[in-house]
């Protein structure tokens, strides 16, 4: 989507859908401001909540002004007004995120599920998927109506299932993105005491269950895997009782909760030692896809119990900043590790860029995963679009874990698209984190279906 002769005097028009979301809107706005290739862009903030949109607008206007107004800010709650003329749409939209996530986690646990997160996998992930797909396909219908030539960059979870639904039921050109690769690279850099800029890596798999196939020093070419394997031989990575006890105490402190989630990783340690490849994600994500998550991890912090509090704190900071009541210099922050604006900049200017991780339908990019399944692989991007990189086959039995999830994704998407609850129940029944007893699975399904009536596709 390189700028043509009619657009060379302007920057891209970008519609930020779900701008009132605190884990998405403020970061994307700052990235737009800080990205050289998108200077002159128009960022249209869109949210169905006028109240949340107003918070986002005040923040965006102030942080844009403090950076010299490199972009133009507009806003609307009306999809037609917000989307018309958009060159790119960005979305991370959910309805009732926190109360629904608590239901997704607690109801299955009460009936014997062993899920440790309940967001992207497990029986809770089935219902999160159904809700997100319903919302996302409504957004895609608006895009097809108001800006059919746009390029959609999706960040909505459960990412693989939402991406599969978009690519199955919509004509919108799209890619789905996640920052787990960058987070994993930051953890590796910290453990090896190397600048992140000195490390290059490649990874492949499915979203939140992706493994580094290569980790090297970018300046010398040194293979860093031997150093990492030696590091993981240390007793700390056995996660003995004192480490667990310390983590349980620290996770009660708001300012360090995310650090505990990122660094307390007995499941990551087990997977690395057992299979020889380091996962990109933390326990709370990879634990959604393997049957032994709770057994290996034992105690583990439950993200839903503290992420809502962190989101509320961020919303308070963003609100105060937008109203001029905060001394925190948010305008001085750099661009995030998200690869959303590198994509937009490369497509708009036709200046090629390498990407660490994109989620796209498999077209042989991972040879031993099914065609059409949503896979996460490296890519390049320029004015012609995104070109995924073909990777080596995934190590068995990691690939088998992924194939199981791909089968469940297909069942959930089929249920969302047809309105038939039967495939969704089958996905829940077959999920490795569901109870082995079908009666318990039916109890989970029926209770969640009743509790969430009105926000499901059936």
């Amino acid at each position: 989507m390189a700028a043509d002769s009619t657009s060379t005097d302007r920057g891209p028009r970008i519609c930020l859908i779900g701008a009132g979301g605190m884990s998405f809107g403020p970061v994307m706005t700052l990235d737009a401001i800080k990205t050289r290739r998108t200077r002159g862009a128009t960022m249209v903030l869109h949210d169905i909540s006028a109240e949340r949109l107003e918070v986002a607008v005040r923040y965006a206007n102030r942080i844009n002004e403090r950076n010299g107004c490199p972009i133009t800010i507009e806003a609307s709650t009306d999809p037609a007004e917000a989307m018309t003329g958009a060159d790119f749409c960005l979305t991370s939209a959910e309805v009732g995120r926190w109360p629904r996530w608590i239901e997704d986690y607690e109801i299955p646990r009460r009936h014997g599920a062993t899920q440790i997160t309940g967001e992207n996998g497990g029986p809770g992930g089935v219902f999160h998927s159904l809700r997100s797909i319903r919302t996302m396909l409504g957004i895609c219908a608006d895009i097809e109506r108001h800006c059919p030539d746009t390029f959609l960059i999706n960040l909505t979870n459960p990412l693989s299932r939402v991406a599969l639904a978009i690519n199955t039921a919509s004509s919108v050109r799209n890619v789905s993105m996640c920052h787990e690769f960058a987070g994993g690279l930051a953890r590796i850099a910290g453990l090896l005491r190397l600048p992140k800029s000195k490390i290059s890596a490649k990874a492949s798999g499915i979203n939140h269950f992706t493994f580094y196939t290569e980790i090297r020093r970018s300046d010398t070419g040194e293979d860093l895997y031997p150093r990492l394997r030696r590091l993981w031989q240390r007793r700390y990575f056995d996660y003995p009782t004192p480490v667990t006890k310390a983590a349980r105490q620290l996770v009660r402190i708001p300012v360090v909760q995310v650090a505990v989630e990122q660094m307390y990783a007995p499941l990551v340690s087990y997977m690395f030692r057992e299979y020889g490849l380091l996962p990109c994600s933390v326990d709370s994500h990879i634990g959604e896809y393997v049957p032994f998550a709770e057994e290996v991890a034992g105690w583990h912090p439950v993200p839903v119990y503290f992420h809502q509090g962190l989101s509320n704190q961020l919303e308070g900071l963003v609100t105060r900043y937008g109203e001029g009541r905060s001394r925190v210099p948010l305008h001085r922050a750099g661009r995030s590790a998200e690869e959303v604006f590198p994509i937009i900049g490369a497509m708009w200017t036709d200046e090629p860029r390498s990407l660490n991780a994109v989620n796209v339908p498999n077209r042989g990019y991972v040879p031993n995963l099914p065609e059409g399944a949503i896979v996460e692989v490296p890519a390049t991007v320029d004015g012609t679009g995104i070109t995924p990189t073909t990777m080596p086959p995934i190590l068995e039995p990691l690939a088998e874990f992924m194939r199981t999830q791909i089968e469940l994704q297909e069942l959930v998407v089929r249920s969302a698209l047809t309105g038939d609850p039967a495939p969704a129940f089958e996905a829940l029944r077959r999920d490795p984190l569901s109870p082995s007893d079908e009666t318990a699975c039916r109890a989970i399904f029926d209770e969640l279906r009743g509790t969430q009536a009105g926000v499901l596709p059936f």
Side-chain angles (χ1 to χ4, degrees):
M1 187 187 287
D4 57 28
S5 59
T6 63
S7 61
T8 51
D9 293 332
R10 67 174 177 89
R13 187 173 181 85
I14 304 163
C15 181
L16 183 61
I17 302 167
M22 287 300 107
S23 62
F24 173 66
V27 173
M28 291 296 99
T29 301
L30 185 59
D31 280 2
I33 290 167
K34 296 288 185 172
T35 300
R36 175 184 57 81
R37 297 185 191 184
T38 56
R39 286 186 175 272
T42 297
M43 175 77 89
V44 185
L45 308 182
H46 173 52
D47 202 286
I48 59 174
S49 167
E51 181 180 358
R52 295 188 68 84
L53 184 60
E54 181 58 33
V55 172
V57 170
R58 285 197 296 265
Y59 160 85
N61 282 334
R62 184 159 190 261
I63 208 163
N64 190 38
E65 290 168 3
R66 296 297 297 273
N67 279 281
C69 294
I71 65 173
T72 299
I73 304 292
E74 298 179 6
S76 178
T77 57
D78 176 39
E81 183 179 4
M83 295 180 184
T84 298
D87 300 294
F88 299 91
C89 286
L90 318 180
T91 182
S92 177
E94 294 199 41
V95 178
R97 171 169 172 75
W98 301 113
R100 295 306 184 191
W101 188 359
I102 289 172
E103 294 166 359
D104 291 343
Y105 177 74
E106 292 186 347
I107 290 173
R109 293 282 300 186
R110 192 165 63 244
H111 291 284
T114 57
Q115 61 182 20
I116 63 174
T117 302
E119 183 187 18
N120 298 286
V126 170
F127 278 81
H128 185 198
S129 302
L130 294 168
R131 299 192 309 274
S132 288
I133 291 170
R134 182 174 184 258
T135 299
M136 182 54 58
L137 291 184
I139 290 171
C140 286
D142 283 338
I143 290 173
E144 289 172 341
R145 188 178 302 116
H146 303 304
C147 53
D149 295 327
T150 198
F151 188 84
L152 170 65
I153 303 176
N154 168 58
L155 292 90
T156 304
N157 280 328
L159 198 77
S160 296
R161 300 174 185 195
V162 170
L164 182 61
I166 294 172
N167 284 281
T168 301
S170 169
S171 62
V172 176
R173 295 184 307 132
N174 71 92
V175 70
S176 290
M177 303 297 295
C178 181
H179 53 219
E180 290 297 307
F181 180 102
L185 208 60
R187 289 189 295 275
I188 291 169
L191 289 166
L192 294 179
R193 299 183 181 180
L194 287 172
K196 194 166 66 169
S197 61
K198 297 286 187 182
I199 302 175
S200 65
K202 291 183 179 179
S204 64
I206 62 173
N207 183 240
H208 293 156
F209 201 72
T210 303
F211 293 77
Y212 292 108
T213 56
E214 180 180 305
I215 307 173
R216 296 185 179 277
R217 280 198 62 141
S218 54
D219 53 351
T220 66
E222 176 194 357
D223 181 1
L224 293 174
Y225 253 125
R227 290 177 59 182
L228 289 166
R229 292 189 179 103
R230 288 194 298 271
L231 183 65
W232 251 264
Q233 291 173 4
R234 296 179 181 177
R235 178 164 167 70
Y236 171 86
F237 291 100
D238 295 334
Y239 291 92
T241 301
V243 174
T244 301
K245 185 177 180 180
R248 295 184 78 143
Q249 294 297 320
L250 290 170
V251 81
R252 300 175 183 178
I253 304 172
V255 294
V256 297
Q257 288 169 327
V258 171
V260 173
E261 183 189 20
Q262 292 286 307
M263 300 308 296
Y264 182 79
L267 188 55
V268 167
S269 182
Y270 172 84
M271 299 294 285
F272 187 22
R273 289 170 165 182
E274 185 74 12
Y275 302 111
L277 293 177
L278 191 62
C280 296
S281 294
V282 294
D283 280 22
S284 59
H285 281 320
I286 63 172
E288 300 197 86
Y289 301 131
V290 292
F292 45 76
E294 187 173 59
E295 177 186 352
V296 169
W299 172 84
H300 200 277
V302 181
V304 69
Y305 290 153
F306 57 85
H307 275 277
Q308 181 177 13
L310 295 172
S311 178
N312 290 340
Q313 292 175 33
L314 178 59
E315 183 169 1
L317 176 60
V318 167
T319 300
R320 291 190 298 274
Y321 184 88
E323 294 173 348
R325 298 188 291 111
S326 172
R327 295 184 179 181
V328 179
L330 296 180
H331 55 281
R332 294 182 182 174
R335 202 172 66 193
S336 76
E338 303 281 359
E339 293 189 301
V340 171
F341 276 86
I343 289 176
I344 294 174
M347 292 182 71
W348 188 252
T349 63
D350 196 21
E351 296 179 29
R353 173 73 183 251
S354 295
L355 302 169
N356 291 315
V358 299
N359 288 266
V360 293
N362 192 22
R363 301 288 181 256
Y365 309 131
V366 182
N368 57 335
L369 293 184
E371 284 286 298
I374 302 300
V375 294
E376 188 166 285
V377 294
T380 57
V381 58
D382 58 21
T384 64
I386 293 173
T387 304
T389 301
T390 299
M391 298 292 286
I394 297 285
L395 178 73
E396 299 286 351
L398 297 177
E400 188 56 34
F401 291 132
M402 296 177 197
R403 286 191 284 266
T404 295
Q405 291 301 315
I406 288 167
E407 291 173 0
L408 301 183
Q409 291 164 12
E410 291 171 348
L411 287 168
V412 171
V413 170
R414 187 189 314 161
S415 183
L417 297 186
T418 63
D420 180 4
F425 174 72
E426 182 64 12
L428 187 150
R429 187 187 68 81
R430 289 167 51 183
D431 194 285
L433 300 175
S434 289
S436 57
D437 177 18
E438 185 169 337
T439 301
C441 291
R442 176 56 69 182
I444 293 170
F445 190 88
D446 289 347
E447 185 171 349
L448 280 168
R449 183 179 181 182
T451 301
Q452 299 181 4
V455 294
L456 298 173
F458 46 73

